[in-house]
Amino acid sequence: VFMLGFMMSVIFGAMYQLISVVLEIKLYSNDLAYAHLGLFLVGILPFVWSFLSLDAFEFLGYGSILLYISFMLYIANVLLSIRKIKKFEIKGYFVLSIHLILFLGVTYGLLASLGLIHGNLGFDTVSLAHTHIVLVLFGFAGGLMSIIATVLIPMFMLSHNFDKKISNYILAGIIATSLSAIFGWFTLVQIIIIGTILAFSYQVYDMVKKRMRRHLDVYAQDMITSGVFLVLSTLLIPFIANDKVMKIF
């Protein structure tokens, strides 16, 4: 309910609004966005219900398929919008890459759901679920947060001359993390995630340092506080990312 109903809905809505800001293009189709929302709402009901009641577990497959189709509509809408970009820059490659990662992530999620139901599809359901989590949470949601931050922070703080090349390293880290998760190299995933988040944190620090708007209001202070906790949580990854924690997922 929290991850799909709240977080993903917020991300979808924000992306539909910000695509014109981040990429300076119009959304390909509002009708496709409404179709995505409708299928998403219909699919999430049996999906969530299947986890609440063992008698309804068979509905997991139906909910997963409907959600998968809704995700495909969203991804298609974004990718068709990206076609309007006249000159590709790092922002365009960022949005393209994280949505391809989202495609892989939800595909792994669908296979994991079907594996839970049937149990005889010939693949490791747990590994699929772990890969699904990494691709969707870090590859897509984390990547989206990064690209939005690099657009909005300079806009509101009037930051100039910060190091934009760091975005290349962040994107490379996101892609490397996703590929490592696909190949099952989860120790390498942890290492790359730490490096990528630290690179992102440094880029945010550089943008704040080189701002023209010197006064830090309460909104900026909240952002800086969140950055401190982001770095702290990143440094704690080696101490919590073990087999016992992974079994929770």
Side-chain angles (χ1 to χ4, degrees), residues 31-101:
D31 292 336
L32 205 55
Y34 282 118
H36 151 250
L37 177 61
L39 273 175
F40 181 79
L41 293 176
V42 172
I44 198 173
L45 294 177
F47 185 85
V48 172
W49 179 246
S50 67
F51 285 101
L52 296 177
S53 173
L54 291 177
D55 295 332
F57 193 68
E58 62 186 73
F59 290 103
L60 177 63
Y62 301 116
S64 298
I65 292 173
L66 289 172
L67 286 172
Y68 184 79
I69 296 173
S70 73
F71 273 88
M72 293 303 103
L73 292 179
Y74 164 75
I75 294 170
N77 207 359
V78 173
L79 295 183
L80 289 171
S81 301
I82 291 176
R83 292 177 57 188
K84 300 178 183 180
I85 299 177
K86 296 180 179 179
K87 183 180 179 181
F88 257 85
E89 297 179 347
I90 184 62
K91 293 182 292 185
Y93 288 115
F94 230 109
V95 174
L96 173 62
S97 298
I98 64 175
H99 281 85
L100 292 177
I101 291 171

Side-chain angles (χ1 to χ4, degrees), residues 146-160:
S146 174
I147 187 60
I148 290 177
T150 57
V151 173
L152 295 185
I153 292 177
M155 182 186 301
F156 292 120
M157 288 195 167
L158 304 178
S159 303
H160 301 285

